[in-house]
Amino acid sequence: MTFPVGDLFLILPELLVITAACIVLVLDPVLRPSDKDGLVWLSLGTLAICMGLTASQMRAPVEAFNGLVIIDMYGAFWKLLLYFVTGLTILLSHSYLKEERLYFGEYYGFVLLALAGMMVMVSAADLLTIYLGSELMSLALYVMAGLKRSEPRSLEASAKYFVLGAFSSGILLYGISLLYGATGSTRLPAIATAIAGQSLDDPLLLFATILLAVGFGFKLAVVPFHMWTPDVYEGAPTSVTAFMAVASKAASFGAFLRVFIEGLGGLKANWSAIFLLICLATLVLGNVVALVQTNIKRMLAYSSIAHAGYALIGVVAAGRLENSSGLASVLLYLALYTFMTFGAFAVAAMLRKDGMEGDEIEDFTGLSKRHPVAALLMLIFMVSLAGIPPTAGFIGKFYVFMSAVEAGMPWLAVIALIFAAVSAYYYLRVVMVMYMREPSDATDRAPQLVMSPAFSIVLACTAAGVVIFGIYPNPVVQLAMQAVSTLR
Amino acid sequence: MSLVFFGYFGGMVAITSMLVVALRNPVYSALSLLVMLFHVAGLFVILHAEFLAAVQVIVYAGAILVLYLFVVMLLNVKEDDRYHSQWRIAAVVCVPLVIESIVLLSGGAGSTGHDSRSLESGPHGGIAADNTLAIGKTLFTTYLFPFEVASLVLLVAMIGAIVLAKRDFSESREL
């Protein structure tokens, strides 16, 4: 057997990202601190090249490395989204790390390595490869969560994330091994053939499905596997939190959908029932607990849990529908969720109080007076997160709810709508604090937004996404439709 | 002949593993663990699992045991009596193990024969083939991609541990 040279071209984006990460890690110790901005530009340039390469790969599915990797529209959709989020993360981190006085060149290396893990996750057609990709992503994220070492909360977040992440990886691996026992393969197409026509009567298959659902549940942070999320999101450096809340969730959803549609598609009716329960619990708990949060990062953490619940509505619908509109709504939802959540975290990251992070909701008091533009953008993000038209958040929720109705579950859409109304309370409270509350002390001790060119680009990109796709969502809808069409 | 070797390796494993818990000096315990791991590797060789035997020596006897010794010596525990009053827990754990071994020895005779048969008629030409070669070939051809991803996972773990554990990072790096 010869070495698969042709396959290397198929995974060229992955190779480029890994090479860039290694160059960053090697150059970091030898560069003078003033030259380290070069690492940022190197990372961004790599992402731009990868974006072009992946866009050129958006065609019929091609298998590589003996069918362990599959390059298709579906993977390309997630990869493009991940490049975008990683680019935003690097830009935001450039400003944020300076404020936090964290001069880690390794930081950008870890961002790129986490990205490489995510790319492996979304384009792998084999359970073991997916598992290794998720480990690569998670290990990089554990380290990044603990980078703010002067802060005990950051170290606590890192340790907590590590312990629970390792635990969930174990459960996922256990599920994979049981599935291997039941079907004799770890490759998704082979698994699909092995379980065709079977139901969950086989206890081995039942346990495997449940364990896989639990393992992925931890990665997606859905109730009841969400316990780590608020503490980790609060303690980690905010730029890392934004990366985790958006990129890691998107990659996990990408791998999760591929496993459950391509591999376990024959058990659709069965896993749809499991996810219906998880989805309802997530919607209720995520939205209700977010009501009482006073810390903006914790509030956004619960909000991200609730949003995973909305995306799961699409998954539940996909399990009951013959066509792929349910799946497309999940992809669309997560793509649009990216813009608003990242924007909100970016504003939270750059709000500084006495050189510290101003991460209480109270710190937003009177922001509209001091920074009218930034306050307006935060208003847009909050309105979009609440799902009020004409923003991207509304479009995402609209398509997800439509797929639920199409799947014959209008009651699920109604419940989700009620909890969307509940969520408006805590999102709009931030707006109320920014616009209607007078600052108690008008001194210069009030929290200030630290503006920088990179931060402005992040805000402009995310806000433009929220507004443009809120009014004209067609390009993303088409892309999501095309992406799921390659999913078997 | 192989029965003699099995008796030797099995007996040594039994004796040294008892010594691990019976000896009072933790360094002696760790060393008897080392001897035990070597004899387990010997058992693997009898079963024609040379690759597993090599991994056993390299990973367990080489890496993990050195780590144990490091911890024992760093903590500087001489003779610790804390762990010698746990015979009640040990008794509770022993009961299911004894039952299990009785079940295995009495009813499991047929299943043992089945196991050895399935080993010899494996899909890769049985155990007579060089299994290290077979594993290496599979890893570097069929599973090349996940294998390389695993190496990246190790790279991240290594650098991550250094980044998190290095002292005085912020002071030396500040502008």
Side-chain angles (χ1 to χ4, degrees), chain A residues 8 12 18 20 30 87 114 121 139 184 205 228 239 264 266 279 325 362 417 450 461 475 482 486:
Chain A
L8 287 182
L12 201 57
I18 293 164
V30 297
M121 279 172 84
L139 275 172
L205 217 49
W228 56 275
S239 58
L264 300 171
C279 167
S325 66
E362 293 300 310
L417 203 61
V450 182
C461 284
Q482 280 172 14
T486 59

Side-chain angles (χ1 to χ4, degrees), chain B residues 94-109:
Chain B
C94 263
V95 172
L97 283 179
V98 168
I99 294 173
E100 200 175 312
S101 57
I102 290 173
V103 169
L104 273 177
L105 286 177
S106 58

Side-chain angles (χ1 to χ4, degrees), chain A residues 68-246:
Chain A
L68 296 181
V69 178
I70 186 157
I71 308 294
D72 58 359
M73 282 287 290
Y74 177 77
F77 176 88
W78 291 112
K79 279 184 195 169
L80 288 178
L81 189 65
L82 292 172
Y83 297 145
F84 180 70
V85 177
T86 311
L88 289 181
T89 306
I90 290 173
L91 281 174
L92 175 65
S93 311
H94 181 61
S95 316
Y96 178 77
L97 295 184
K98 234 170 226 163
E99 282 305 313
E100 287 285 342
R101 299 179 182 286
L102 291 169
Y103 300 100
F104 287 104
E106 291 96 343
Y107 180 93
Y108 300 107
F110 280 119
V111 172
L112 291 177
L113 283 170
L115 171 68
M118 294 170 188
M119 290 162 75
V120 171
M121 279 172 84
V122 297
S123 60
D126 168 77
L127 285 173
L128 264 185
T129 315
I130 289 176
Y131 168 76
L132 283 169
S134 92
E135 278 302 280
L136 181 56
M137 169 189 87
S138 305
L139 275 172
L141 288 178
Y142 303 149
V143 178
M144 285 161 72
L147 275 185
K148 219 159 98 184
R149 298 193 325 166
S150 52
E151 176 114 19
R153 275 194 308 177
S154 175
L155 292 176
E156 184 199 332
S158 177
K160 219 171 232 177
Y161 194 23
F162 174 67
V163 172
L164 281 169
F167 183 64
S168 72
S169 294
I171 293 179
L172 188 67
L173 209 50
Y174 196 25
I176 291 173
S177 63
L178 283 184
L179 197 60
Y180 179 71
T183 62
S185 178
T186 57
R187 292 171 202 211
L188 297 178
I191 290 172
T193 2
I195 63 172
Q198 280 195 48
S199 68
L200 282 184
D201 292 337
D202 184 0
L204 208 55
L205 217 49
L206 174 70
F207 272 116
T209 311
I210 291 175
L211 287 172
L212 279 179
V214 172
F216 275 113
F218 270 104
K219 306 265 177 228
L220 302 174
V222 289
V223 178
F225 316 111
H226 66 288
M227 303 81 75
W228 56 275
T229 321
D231 292 341
V232 173
Y233 281 19
E234 186 194 354
T238 312
S239 58
V240 179
T241 308
F243 189 55
M244 287 196 291
V246 180

Side-chain angles (χ1 to χ4, degrees), chain B residues 36-139:
Chain B
M36 190 205 88
L37 291 172
F38 270 115
H39 284 86
V40 172
L43 282 177
F44 284 139
V45 172
I46 295 181
L47 292 171
H48 295 283
E50 295 88 3
F51 179 73
L52 211 53
V55 167
Q56 171 85 15
V57 170
I58 294 169
V59 175
Y60 281 91
I64 293 183
L65 207 87
V66 170
L67 195 73
Y68 280 180
L69 278 175
F70 261 125
V71 172
V72 168
M73 288 175 173
L74 275 180
L75 294 180
N76 204 16
V77 265
K78 288 274 156 43
E79 287 194 11
D80 201 340
D81 286 327
R82 269 181 304 173
Y83 303 111
H84 286 273
S85 55
Q86 297 179 333
W87 63 270
R88 289 182 196 84
I89 305 171
V92 172
V93 175
C94 263
V95 172
L97 283 179
V98 168
I99 294 173
E100 200 175 312
S101 57
I102 290 173
V103 169
L104 273 177
L105 286 177
S106 58
S111 68
T112 328
H114 171 77
D115 276 350
S116 61
R117 201 166 53 241
S118 70
L119 256 179
E120 278 171 57
S121 58
H124 297 293
I127 50 170
D130 190 344
N131 53 35
T132 313
L133 183 74
I135 289 171
K137 264 192 174 162
T138 319
L139 271 187

